[in-house]
Amino acid sequence: MSWNYRVVRRVYPHEISYEIHEAYYDLPDEGPEPVITVNPSSAHGDTISGLRENLKRMLRALDKPTLDYKTRKEIEE
């Protein structure tokens, strides 16, 4: 199993929101799409340096294709 942060587009009745979620890959019985966390991730770290590294990982998500919240599939922007 591996994971990273991904940008996820979530469609609500009156708005669209882009959020950072954790995405997990290669889980048994889950198919080819990643499994994403229900709620968006918040930046955290046990030190300022740890927080900085966590934020860098989150920023790298902006360079990957966006995922749709419901289907977990990559979408075109």
Side-chain angles (χ1 to χ4, degrees), residues 12-77:
Y12 295 97
H14 300 290
E15 70 177 323
I16 295 175
S17 178
Y18 290 86
E19 307 163 337
I20 302 282
H21 287 253
E22 293 176 25
Y24 294 86
Y25 304 87
D26 303 321
L27 294 174
D29 303 321
E30 290 297 334
E33 282 76 33
V35 173
I36 58 175
T37 53
V38 173
N39 297 312
S41 298
S42 61
H44 62 279
D46 55 359
T47 64
I48 295 296
S49 177
L51 175 61
R52 181 177 287 110
E53 289 305 312
N54 186 253
L55 286 167
K56 286 179 183 178
R57 286 193 299 271
M58 289 181 156
L59 284 171
R60 284 195 289 271
L62 298 172
D63 297 327
K64 297 176 177 66
T66 300
L67 300 176
D68 178 75
Y69 183 80
K70 286 186 181 179
T71 66
R72 299 177 295 170
K73 294 183 180 191
E74 293 181 358
I75 57 175
E76 295 291 324
E77 291 297 316

